[in-house]
Amino acid sequence: MERVTDFLLELRSEEIPARMQDKARADLARLFAEEISKAGLQASEIVTFATPRRLALIARGLPLQTSAVSEELKGPKTSAPPQALEGFLRKTGLTQDQLEDRDGTWFAVIAKPGRQTAEVLTEAVPAIVRAFPWPKSMRWGAASASTESLRWVRPLQGIVALLGDTVVPFEIDGVVSGSATVGHRFHHSGDVTIGNAADYAAKLNACHVIVDQDERRAIIRTGAEKAATAAGLMLVPDEGLVIENSGLTEWPVPMLGRFDPAFLAVPEEVIQLTARVNQKYFICRDTAGKLANAFVCTANITANDGGAAIVAGNEKVLAARLSDAKFFWEQDLKVPLETQAEKLKDIVFHEKLGTVADKVERVAKLARWLVDEGIVAPAQAGASAGIGHPDVKQAPACAGATELANDAERAARLCKADLVTGMVGEFPELQGIMGGYYARAQGEADAVADAVRGHYKPVGQGDEVPTAPVTVAVSLADKLDSLIVFFACQVVPTGSKDPFALRRAALGVLSVLTENGLRMRLQSAFELVSPMIPNKRGTARLIGVRDDANFGKVDVQFLELLDFFADRLKVQQREAGVRHDLIDAVFALGGEDDLVRLLARVKALQAFVITEEGTNLLAGYKRAANILKQADGVAPAEAGASAGVGTQGVELAAAFAGATEFDVALLNALEAAEPKAAAAIEAENFEGAMAALATLRAPIDAFFESVMVNDPDPQKRAFRLGLLARFRDAVHRVADFSKIEG
Amino acid sequence: MMEGQPLSFQDLILTLHDYWGKQGCVILQPYDMRVGAGTFHPATTLRALGPDHWNAAYVQPSRRPTDGRYGENPNRLQHYYQYQVIMKPSPANLQELYLGSLDAIGIDPLKHDIRFVEDDWESPTLGAWGLGWEVWCDGMEVTQFTYFQQMGGFDCKPVAGELTYGLERLAMYIQGKDSVYDLAFNDAGVTYGDVFHKNEVEFSTYNFEVADTASLFDGFAKAEAECKRCIDANIPLAAYDQAIEASHLFNLLQARGVISVQERASYMGRVRDLAKGSCQAWMDKNGWSA
């Protein structure tokens, strides 16, 4: 007799939602492996299958028996009261003479013989079924008179459980395991008896069921392509649709259908969405790449009329949907976007924040401001980074700026108008895209229409980032407005709750700023937008004002927004390999709300800390910081000043009798490095600032090597602590090294 | 498209009556109130609660004021028919029974592509939800198939299976018509348009333009008050009628465009409270525990 065999499990139910099938397979494999491993069993391979009507697993190479194990149980102390011992004997089913006395404690050694694998499975499978993690599950039938009845994704109808050629017998809420299943819902009637795992797929195939989803996917992929090619067209590949259709069919048959070319007047995105989302059809292009009046649907039968009726039916359904879409398109075209935009007064943006019309007004002002301030410049908006200084108000750089400002404001005023169109009402996913079409159709400039279309971008990491100046201005204004007004009103994301997608908006702002190298002070935008928040009561909107060392009098909600940006920046830059601790180290300096400049500094820092100089300087910094922390009793700055390491340090230090050459060398190095670093930072030459810091490395190393900071002479000690404090402060002007890990 | 003469609209209904009657369903007549869907009929809403077995089928005229198109859209109507089947507890072979009904009305499943596509059902105004599918025939949704899990906020014990056929759509499919108004209502030359086109034009006008919003608001408040009085008087069936009334008046107010976005949620909440209150009273009166 073979020592190992295969196990087949098929859980047959009414139609399982397509989107749940892949996860269900993964869950089944994982739970099965976990459950049998509790009995010490392991399969050499587990494969899973899913169709609309079945979830199946084959575990190969299962031993027929589990190995014998002996289990040791610790009991009460021999000195314990007799009740404790009695309890232990009851629990183990042993008598006292079977126990071992080890150093005054009773032990039971229970030999567990190997179990039949079939017996293990009899318990394991019902446990898996009862605890299966479906995203949504239900009760059904007579048993559901109790809310404790079995739950499954849809009614569970049958179970095949075969270990080798033998049925593993069990019952779950009236569903009894066996060897019989059913074939295709329409192509086969009656039971199909499965012999074992090896003949499962073949037997089902003979009954028009392709149980392997990968096989069905291949059929759909190539079949759809063939159908398109045969019509002289190219299929638009769509793996999502392949997977979805494979989850809706046991016997997929792709077929080409047509629609009236008159519908091609409707924007391509609408046709694609209607076909894809509503009907799960593939779309096709002609050889020139234009959308063709054809689609590929995937039937679940080989029809007895060759599929004519199915194609005709699907054509009719699509035609009805497209004529709806065409109706909306034509209706919408009759109404200018300005007129549509007036209806935005009736749409509440947020109860604390007025209507969408209010938002549009703010976005329009902000978009114009971005151009007027020279933050977004005409042409080459994305060409160069880090040129302009954000603190200095720039005159619009060239003659195109007026036009750009007008276009940006115009696009902003139109950008939300499509929300009230019939088409976007029907297909909310097309917001922006439809607005772009309607703008172009009513003769707006291309730059304006493009901005209306693209202003929601980027909608996620990896999405295209706008670079056209008008689009950049509107995209930025729209997102900044949302962030500023929600933060100003303390409607901020918490945990997993971010109903207004502010995290995504902040990431979008970061991408637009960094990819285009745009320089701006977030505080200025905050101060422009927050007074525009509608305020019924006429009271101060401000939650509170704080005196910030760097920003001066500042709205505390602005500081919160800045922290939020810091967190998003870490997320955004993680993929680019930028260390989050370095971002913290620069943010901790405070006062920086120009995110492009901040990032440049972070990147220079990252390049520096991995050099030998950087690593050693960081070590020197940490040592200095520790010593200063321990010397907390003495206020180092004061001590330093009294010991003559103030700004006119050189002469004073020279006058300080106890100074060694190492003290002097460090002091001189600081004297030289500080102005260099400051000048470099002023010029935003962060590499230069790092280079200036690097000159401190040798002197600080030598200093630690050769002098004792905690000198018994309090004057010397104070002097050296002062020196270290000055070293620390010099480093801090570049970044807060205490935040750097390692 | 079908072999032989396709069923007229009225024969479609008669065939379904005959089929579901043979499956043990009580064949009921439509409920005599304005409702948005067959589910609102007390034979579904209230009978879905409690342990009693219950099988019924009926046609329910359904009113969706906002869907009116003045008789100009070939597919959209403010008044249409649903064919509703409810079986409690849901039989183990409900899918097969349903497919049998398609066969009875002349749909060959080896010629037409019948599919069960995930579509979970929820009625916020009834405090109800269930899992199931929309049934596709060659890509067209012809039926909503639902296993009720909750009704009026109560767990269904046992679960009922509900089938809702869109009769006009199904008829258009069977008869191969592109416009609902071209449907053969009978085999004597009367079309659906002959019977209903004027109604669509008039009621679209009424729903969108004429209905007096002040009296609708007033009617809503009165129905709400009456529902509560009936609950207090322990007559849940009468209370539920008032919940239905309030729900329809709310739909009309929506069509008139006088309910703002924020108010909408609040009105829906009020209708739900009435429906739930009626269900609660029905449970209590029958001595069923939640």
Side-chain angles (χ1 to χ4, degrees):
Chain A
M1 189 171 121
E2 286 182 55
R3 303 174 61 100
V4 296
T5 190
D6 297 344
F7 174 62
L8 167 70
L9 175 67
E10 182 197 74
L11 302 164
R12 184 167 54 81
S13 68
E14 297 179 10
E15 276 76 352
I16 306 167
R19 68 186 170 92
M20 298 180 187
Q21 292 170 20
D22 275 350
K23 181 172 179 291
R25 287 194 298 118
D27 285 336
L28 180 60
R30 178 178 52 82
L31 292 172
F32 183 81
E34 279 172 18
E35 204 61 39
I36 63 169
S37 78
K38 288 181 191 165
L41 281 172
Q42 202 185 344
S44 62
E45 185 191 22
I46 294 178
V47 288
T48 51
F49 306 109
T51 79
R53 299 177 75 197
R54 53 201 102 217
L55 179 60
L57 169 144
I58 292 176
R60 300 213 165 90
L62 271 187
L64 292 174
Q65 291 189 326
T66 68
S67 0
V69 287
S70 84
E71 192 183 15
E72 234 176 53
L73 286 175
K74 188 179 174 186
K77 287 195 182 306
T78 49
S79 57
Q83 294 93 318
L85 178 60
E86 280 161 28
F88 187 59
L89 291 176
R90 256 198 313 279
K91 185 176 137 201
T92 53
L94 301 177
T95 54
Q96 192 176 341
D97 57 339
Q98 290 172 297
L99 299 184
E100 283 179 34
D101 175 359
R102 291 188 207 157
D103 300 332
T105 302
W106 291 117
F107 275 84
V109 177
I110 301 163
K112 286 199 163 178
R115 290 177 73 197
Q116 294 297 319
T117 295
E119 194 188 315
V120 172
L121 292 171
T122 297
E123 293 161 13
V125 175
I128 293 166
V129 168
R130 288 184 193 284
F132 203 81
W134 291 107
K136 273 186 187 173
S137 62
M138 56 167 280
R139 298 174 294 116
W140 66 90
S144 63
S146 158
T147 50
E148 302 304 304
S149 68
L150 178 65
R151 305 184 72 93
W152 197 244
V153 62
R154 292 293 184 275
L156 182 67
Q157 292 194 315
I159 300 175
V160 174
L162 288 165
L163 184 65
D165 300 335
T166 313
V167 170
V168 176
F170 55 84
E171 187 226 300
I172 309 172
D173 275 34
V175 185
V176 180
S177 63
S179 59
T181 183
V182 298
H184 188 280
R185 196 184 267 295
F186 304 114
H187 278 303
H188 186 269
S189 58
D191 285 353
V192 182
T193 303
I194 306 298
N196 53 46
D199 73 3
Y200 176 62
K203 281 221 163 144
L204 280 178
N205 197 292
C207 306
H208 282 75
V209 173
I210 298 166
V211 76
D212 184 340
Q213 61 288 333
D214 294 333
E215 218 175 297
R216 294 196 307 279
R217 285 170 195 178
I219 290 170
I220 294 166
R221 221 177 275 125
T222 54
E225 207 179 299
K226 260 190 204 156
T229 313
L233 302 169
M234 293 180 305
L235 189 82
V236 175
D238 189 329
E239 197 53 24
L241 270 184
V242 170
I243 292 169
E244 188 170 13
N245 277 297
S246 76
L248 287 166
T249 49
E250 293 202 311
W251 190 256
V253 181
M255 284 184 287
L256 184 100
R258 293 281 186 174
F259 56 86
D260 186 340
F263 290 127
L264 291 171
V266 177
E268 174 169 331
E269 289 89 343
V270 177
I271 296 175
Q272 189 163 0
L273 199 69
T274 305
R276 182 186 199 285
V277 178
N278 297 126
Q279 298 298 136
K280 312 185 197 308
Y281 300 154
F282 296 88
I283 53 161
C284 303
R285 296 190 181 281
D286 63 21
T287 44
K290 277 188 58 189
L291 192 71
N293 65 320
F295 64 93
V296 176
C297 60
T298 310
N300 189 34
I301 52 170
T302 301
N304 53 19
D305 67 349
I310 295 174
V311 169
N314 279 284
E315 284 178 342
K316 205 165 155 174
V317 181
L318 184 61
R321 287 195 181 271
L322 289 179
S323 63
D324 260 3
K326 188 155 174 278
F327 172 79
F328 289 129
W329 168 245
E330 284 163 359
Q331 291 304 109
D332 291 345
L333 282 176
K334 291 179 189 162
V335 187
L337 285 178
E338 297 88 324
T339 313
Q340 301 280 28
E342 279 164 28
K343 295 181 212 151
L344 298 174
K345 289 194 184 84
D346 303 328
I347 302 181
V348 175
F349 175 59
H350 182 272
E351 52 176 329
K352 287 185 179 173
L353 295 167
T355 67
V356 177
D358 294 328
K359 176 179 175 65
V360 166
E361 187 61 30
R362 292 191 305 268
V363 173
K365 290 204 170 117
L366 186 52
R368 175 173 278 281
W369 177 85
L370 287 167
V371 179
D372 287 345
E373 293 291 306
I375 294 162
V376 179
Q380 298 129 18
S384 56
I387 305 299
H389 197 292
D391 295 321
V392 181
K393 181 171 171 169
Q394 294 165 341
C398 63
T402 313
E403 197 192 334
L404 174 55
N406 290 340
D407 281 354
E409 182 175 344
R410 172 85 184 148
R413 290 197 183 282
L414 300 180
C415 72
K416 303 293 178 193
D418 68 355
L419 293 177
V420 295
T421 61
M423 190 73 90
V424 175
E426 197 73 6
F427 301 107
E429 308 93 314
L430 293 179
Q431 62 177 7
I433 292 170
M434 291 318 301
Y437 276 106
Y438 297 137
R440 217 175 302 274
Q442 70 179 35
E444 299 296 333
D446 281 345
V448 171
D450 288 344
V452 171
R453 179 186 172 96
H455 81 280
Y456 289 105
K457 286 180 169 287
V459 287
Q461 297 252 54
D463 189 28
E464 181 196 348
V465 178
T467 54
V470 184
T471 312
V472 167
V474 183
S475 163
L476 209 48
D478 181 31
K479 295 171 183 64
L480 279 173
D481 172 72
S482 293
L483 286 159
I484 291 168
V485 297
F486 279 114
F487 268 82
C489 295
Q490 292 185 300
V491 181
V492 300
T494 50
S496 61
K497 289 206 186 80
D498 182 11
F500 304 101
L502 296 182
R503 292 193 178 103
R504 195 171 74 191
L507 280 173
V509 168
L510 290 167
S511 300
V512 174
L513 290 178
T514 54
E515 298 239 342
N516 292 292
L518 301 184
R519 307 294 309 277
M520 69 175 295
R521 302 289 309 264
L522 285 175
Q523 191 184 10
S524 319
F526 192 91
E527 282 167 2
L528 178 80
V529 171
S530 55
M532 289 194 271
I533 296 172
N535 182 349
K536 284 179 197 157
R537 282 157 297 176
T539 52
R541 176 206 49 76
L542 294 182
I543 303 301
V545 174
R546 181 188 300 166
D547 245 328
D548 183 84
N550 298 293
F551 289 108
K553 273 208 186 313
V554 66
D555 192 323
V556 293
Q557 289 305 111
F558 166 69
L559 296 176
E560 197 171 316
L561 175 60
L562 199 56
D563 283 346
F564 183 70
F565 267 110
D567 285 341
R568 293 300 98 196
L569 190 66
K570 287 178 214 165
V571 173
Q572 186 213 24
Q573 292 294 321
R574 195 179 322 162
E575 266 181 50
V578 176
R579 282 165 50 180
H580 65 91
D581 57 325
L582 303 184
I583 293 177
D584 280 336
V586 176
F587 254 111
L589 297 176
E592 178 61 287
D593 61 343
D594 175 343
L595 298 165
V596 167
R597 183 168 63 189
L598 181 136
L599 197 58
R601 196 167 185 152
V602 170
K603 286 182 171 164
L605 182 60
Q606 177 148 352
F608 177 59
V609 294
I610 55 169
T611 62
E612 199 200 339
E613 254 93 13
T615 316
N616 288 328
L617 188 78
L618 179 60
Y621 167 86
K622 295 225 154 155
R623 197 161 163 191
N626 277 336
I627 292 170
L628 287 167
K629 206 194 267 172
Q630 283 156 15
D632 215 12
V634 191
E638 209 181 303
S642 68
V645 277
T647 41
Q648 312 86 18
V650 184
E651 301 113 83
L652 290 170
F656 180 61
T660 66
E661 58 178 297
F662 303 104
D663 295 314
V664 174
L666 180 56
L667 188 55
N668 288 339
L670 282 167
E671 291 287 340
E674 281 163 352
K676 273 191 205 158
I681 287 169
E682 183 67 20
E684 299 186 11
N685 172 9
F686 299 112
E687 289 78 9
M690 301 300 157
L693 282 192
T695 63
L696 298 176
R697 179 243 163 146
I700 191 76
D701 284 356
F703 176 84
F704 280 127
E705 188 79 13
S706 316
V707 303
M708 193 184 358
V709 177
N710 287 320
D711 196 281
D713 174 353
Q715 250 198 321
K716 281 187 187 169
R717 177 167 178 266
F719 175 78
R720 285 175 183 147
L721 284 174
L723 207 50
L724 285 183
R726 190 163 154 185
F727 166 70
R728 180 195 59 187
D729 293 348
V731 171
H732 270 196
R733 272 189 280 279
V734 177
D736 183 347
F737 273 49
S738 70
K739 304 281 184 197
I740 300 176
E741 291 166 6
Chain B
M1 163 167 270
M2 299 289 145
E3 328 307 332
Q5 164 110 3
L7 293 172
S8 67
F9 191 69
Q10 68 190 34
D11 283 340
L12 173 63
I13 293 171
L14 293 173
T15 306
L16 288 172
H17 274 341
D18 181 55
Y19 179 83
W20 287 107
K22 284 183 181 145
Q23 309 308 326
C25 288
V26 174
I27 303 300
L28 292 171
Q29 300 307 315
Y31 202 56
D32 60 340
M33 291 193 69
R34 296 173 297 181
V35 297
T39 309
F40 277 84
H41 195 309
T44 293
T45 308
L46 296 181
R47 294 283 190 157
L49 294 166
D52 299 343
H53 290 206
W54 174 245
N55 299 314
Y58 54 90
V59 173
Q60 183 61 48
S62 303
R63 300 213 188 202
R64 305 236 168 131
T66 46
D67 281 353
R69 293 293 182 271
Y70 297 87
E72 287 167 17
N73 184 301
N75 300 300
R76 287 214 184 187
L77 304 166
Q78 56 81 41
H79 170 283
Y80 63 101
Y81 288 105
Q82 289 188 340
Y83 194 92
Q84 175 90 359
V85 179
I86 176 156
M87 301 188 90
K88 187 178 82 170
S90 63
N93 62 342
L94 186 56
Q95 279 189 315
E96 281 67 36
L97 290 177
Y98 167 72
L99 293 170
S101 77
L102 293 188
D103 186 53
I105 59 175
I107 294 179
D108 174 359
L110 283 175
K111 184 173 169 187
H112 296 284
D113 187 28
I114 309 296
R115 227 84 73 68
F116 293 84
V117 181
E118 177 191 15
D119 190 27
D120 300 337
W121 173 83
E122 189 179 10
S123 169
T125 47
L126 289 177
W129 69 277
L131 298 190
W133 313 271
E134 49 182 48
V135 183
W136 284 16
C137 176
D138 299 338
M140 182 176 66
E141 182 192 347
V142 290
T143 305
Q144 184 78 36
F145 190 132
T146 307
Y147 291 102
F148 285 153
Q149 302 296 298
Q150 276 202 335
M151 178 60 79
F154 297 99
D155 282 331
C156 296
K157 299 186 291 186
V159 163
E162 181 207 43
L163 306 172
T164 306
Y165 304 71
L167 282 175
E168 284 82 356
R169 255 191 209 195
L170 204 51
M172 283 167 74
Y173 194 80
I174 292 172
Q175 298 183 17
K177 295 283 165 52
D178 291 328
S179 168
V180 65
Y181 298 109
D182 296 338
L183 283 175
F185 207 98
N186 65 4
D187 291 332
V190 179
T191 67
Y192 193 93
D194 294 337
V195 182
F196 281 120
H197 188 263
K198 285 194 183 72
N199 301 48
E200 282 301 309
V201 178
E202 275 202 15
F203 278 99
S204 295
T205 311
Y206 177 77
N207 298 338
F208 288 125
E209 301 169 37
V210 178
D212 179 45
T213 55
S215 52
L216 291 176
F217 278 120
D218 190 43
F220 185 94
K222 284 184 172 149
E224 189 177 35
E226 193 73 341
C227 179
K228 289 175 180 165
R229 274 188 353 108
C230 293
I231 290 172
D232 290 342
N234 198 24
I235 42 173
L237 285 163
Y240 181 64
D241 267 13
Q242 297 302 321
I244 294 177
E245 180 70 8
S247 173
H248 178 69
L249 293 174
F250 164 69
N251 289 343
L252 275 173
L253 285 163
Q254 284 255 94
R256 292 289 279 118
V258 291
I259 292 190
S260 71
V261 180
Q262 307 101 300
E263 285 174 322
R264 185 168 181 271
S266 138
Y267 271 94
M268 282 175 67
R270 286 162 73 181
V271 175
R272 181 169 57 244
D273 288 345
L274 299 181
K276 279 189 166 180
S278 307
C279 289
Q280 172 82 62
W282 175 252
M283 296 277 290
D284 292 346
K285 191 165 187 179
N286 284 291
W288 299 324
S289 63

